[in-house]
Amino acid sequence: MEFTLTDTQQMLQDTARRLVRDRYGFEQRKAVVASALGYSAELWKEYAELGLLGLELDEDHGGSGGSFEDLAVVVEAFGRGLVVEPFLSTVVLGAGLVTRAGSAAQKDAILPKVAAGEMKLALATGEPKARYSLERIETGAKRDGDGYLLNGHKAVVLGADSADLIIASARTAKGVSLFLVPRDAKGVDVRTYPNMDDRRAAEVTFDNVRVGADALLGPEDGALLHLEAAMDRGAAAICCEALGTMTVLNELTLDYLKTRTQFGRPIGKFQVLQHRMADMVIAEQQARSMVQLAAEHANLDDAKRRAQAISAAKVQVGQSAQIVGRGAIQLHGGIGLTIEFVAGHYFRRLTAMEMMFGDQAYHLKRFAA
Amino acid sequence: MELTYPKEAQDFAEQIRAFVRAELPAAIKQKVLFHKRISRDEQVFWQRKLVEHGYATPGWSKEHGGPGWDALQRHVYDDVMSEEAAPPAIPFGESMIAPVLFAVGTPEQKAHYLPKIRTLEYFFCQGFSEPGAGSDLASLKTRAIDKGDHWEVNGQKTWTSLAQYANMIFCLVRTDTEAKLQEGITMLVFPMDLPGITVRPIITIDGGHSVNETFFDNVKVPKFGQIGEPNKGWTYAKLLLGHERTSIARIGQSKRELRHLKALASEQESDGTPLMEQQAFREKVAALEIELAALEITALRIISTAGKGHSPGVEANLLKIKGSEIQQRLTEMMLEAVGPYGLPFDTNKGLGETNLPPIGPEEAASLGPNYLMTRVVSIYGGSNEIQRNIIAKSLGL
Ligand SMILES: Cc1cc2nc3c(=O)[nH]c(=O)nc-3n(C[C@H](O)[C@H](O)[C@H](O)COP(=O)(O)OP(=O)(O)OC[C@H]3O[C@@H](n4cnc5c(N)ncnc54)[C@H](O)[C@@H]3O)c2cc1C
């Protein structure tokens, strides 16, 4: 395992952290979340200019050929600032899948645009009854002339609202396949709402949506392996993000323990609070270790080893997120629960991450299998 | 796991159950079940029903206009009311200030306040906490100066729950700045529409509005609203907080939520079978159920010794700690039960204020907000750290 950042990663970390510090203050973020779009188009452009959107993509596709570890550094910084731009859905999930499963023509059509900030993507896999399973889906794609006809309901689709293209999983004759569906195609309905972490998601329904043969992404009936790889990337990324989030939350709580006084002394003088804070720091460190494991394994082709590492990370980070999140609120007292104070927003983010890309129970079972 | 009550208590339970089933409007019941906010009007409506049928203010003696029930009857009452999803009573009037009035109110004060508290004509809120005085309540600074026929009050309270609904407040104010902190505090009761009172909402991370900041600017409080003696307010407050802590255990509510959790987990599918049939989940629910049963038996045990003249001491602290932890665990498991549908956070929907069709299972929308806000039960009513400090002290440590 590599425990130090490369020069590139150090640079990326500086860049992303500076961006978050300068552009993602509490009030700035509040304005972005409240805007009609729900994210900042201006920042999205900046991410593109800084090369963050194409970080992992080939140079042929406008990227810089970086690794998942490079990406991890950026995502962690985004977690520090509770960034809401559709980076996970577009870069980690969408572009990741196209890179992995797309034809040359599909890559050429999509990836350069993603890198340039001109196209956003979303991955629609979840369904009302699927819970975290990728297979138990009912959305169907029937052959229709030289194309397909899609029908079904996709649940809690991250970034669907802002996506130009939605990558949807659907049942085909003998398995599961992936399709590229333009968000504005006839028959696509997107009901948008904010998630608990202020990112937007949507219920997406397909009502006789017709797509051409070229919409098929990856092999017909054989998309499951690709889908699993995409979800592992998502899980790895959300772990990186959560690490950034819990690091800042621990800083906030520690600071609060030193400044809030009750009974004539800083509350950090009470031993029971000291011990809880110590446990929160231990939890952060445990998470940091597993995030590193996850980042190293996120793009691994060996699906079994990858699954083990990612699931292990998701369980540990999920547990750490709960220890840090709940602890922070308890140690802040009432103030931690108000919308005008920053800690509560970090808690919300850490609560949301548990429900994304499989919860602890799901990953524990997968690890133990 | 069902505990059985003695025969009379069972009959009593059936009688209350019949009443609630007949009188509680389905719409209100649904709101309680799905963690949605009960409006002021609904709360008052239900209180009037309780009064009409002799079920209001269950903790009051006959002398004060209550039913005069014993501790077991009270427990059964709370249990059935919660089970049937009746709106929980607003504690501030009937369970917090009323017991203080019983103890130290003048006959005139009792005659004036108690009947109106009973009907909720007086909707009280609690003005104790201040920005600088949370756990360390005795350090409160809101100042009251004796002006002969009235107290003049200046300062700020915070976290005032339901101040936006309330027309009355009870407050702790500093009346002696020289004395020891605990010995310079007076308890006052006054209307919220006195000139000089400003209420500002505090929005919480569930998106809801239940708490407020309350400001006092030269508020003239008539002496009639002074409770007991000046500078003895701390003693009265301790009496009042003891009552608050016992009610925060909410055992009946947790029993209802446990049933709700099981129903929810039976409807949710995981890998093609109901979540409730998955071994790992089932065992987590079982562990919680056992802990809740132990808490209920503990409560019953405390009740039985209380009946024998033993005054409850640290038992209230114990019930508060365990009760709050179980409530939190329940909200965690319910959120887990709905999986990814815990994410949508349309706060209006969560609190029951729009008419759009639900996203995902009907109950899912409220589970995220409910999880977030239930973190408060280990903070308010004396934080669980403070409760443990009290227990440790009582052990001689
Ligand atoms: C939703 C909500 C509703 C409320 N409603 C009301 C209301 O209607 N009326 C009202 O008056 N108040 C109300 N409160 C206030 C509530 O009682 C206080 O939040 C509570 O007393 C804790 O105070 P604090 O928030 O200032 O936290 P602090 O006292 O600052 O505590 C911060 C942390 O320090 C810990 N701590 C403090 N002292 C010690 C110690 N000696 N030993 C160990 N740990 C310690 C606490 O346990 C906590 O973890 C409400 C609060 C909330 C959040």
Side-chain angles (χ1 to χ4, degrees), chain A residues 128 131-132 136 153 155-156 191 193-196 203 260 262-264 272-273 276 326 329-330 333-335 337-339 344 347-348 351-352 355-356 359 361 365, chain B residues 131-136 159 202-205 269-272 275 278 332 335-337 339-345 356-357 359 368 371-372 375-376 378-379 385:
Chain A
R131 203 172 174 81
Y132 298 109
R136 294 186 177 276
H153 175 174
V156 201
R191 180 175 168 200
Y193 44 79
N195 272 356
M196 185 189 280
E203 299 300 284
R260 168 72 169 170
Q262 287 289 274
F263 303 99
V272 66
L273 306 191
R276 186 135 184 197
R326 293 170 190 165
I329 297 302
Q330 185 66 26
I335 195 89
L337 290 168
T338 73
I339 204 101
F347 176 49
R348 266 167 54 166
T351 304
M355 299 177 269
M356 298 167 77
D359 59 9
K365 200 171 165 189
Chain B
S135 299
D136 182 13
W159 308 121
I202 298 175
I203 304 302
T204 39
I205 55 172
E269 271 192 21
S270 173
D271 288 334
L275 180 62
Q278 301 252 320
E332 293 161 23
L335 190 58
E336 180 182 340
Y341 271 126
L343 283 166
F345 201 71
L356 282 172
I359 294 156
Y371 164 80
L372 296 171
R375 302 320 298 178
V376 79
S378 54
I379 295 172
E385 285 81 6

Side-chain angles (χ1 to χ4, degrees), chain B residues 127 130 140-147 149-157 169-175 186-192 194-198 214-223 225-226:
Chain B
E130 298 180 5
L140 62 91
K141 291 203 165 68
T142 295
R143 186 82 170 96
I145 295 172
D146 193 341
K147 295 279 179 179
D149 64 339
H150 67 272
W151 290 99
E152 186 181 82
V153 179
N154 280 287
Q156 181 198 346
K157 294 294 175 183
I169 186 168
F170 57 86
C171 268
L172 292 179
V173 293
R174 182 146 313 278
T175 39
T186 299
M187 188 179 282
L188 300 179
V189 161
F190 49 94
M192 288 294 278
L194 291 182
I197 302 180
T198 312
T214 308
F215 298 88
F216 306 112
D217 180 20
N218 290 327
V219 178
K220 292 184 170 57
V221 174
K223 280 281 169 76
Q226 177 194 310

Side-chain angles (χ1 to χ4, degrees), chain A residues 256-257 260-263 267 270 272-273 329-335 337, chain B residues 92 125-131 133-137 158-162 204 210-211 244 373 376 378-386 389:
Chain A
Y256 196 74
L257 289 180
R260 168 72 169 170
T261 59
Q262 287 289 274
F263 303 99
I267 55 173
F270 298 117
V272 66
L273 306 191
I329 297 302
Q330 185 66 26
L331 298 194
H332 274 88
I335 195 89
L337 290 168
Chain B
F92 306 115
C125 62
Q126 176 187 17
F128 280 15
S129 306
E130 298 180 5
S135 299
D136 182 13
L137 185 56
T158 192
W159 308 121
T160 338
S161 295
L162 302 185
T204 39
S210 66
V211 282
E244 182 182 18
M373 258 334 263
V376 79
S378 54
I379 295 172
Y380 68 13
S383 74
N384 284 13
E385 285 81 6
I386 297 292
N389 286 349

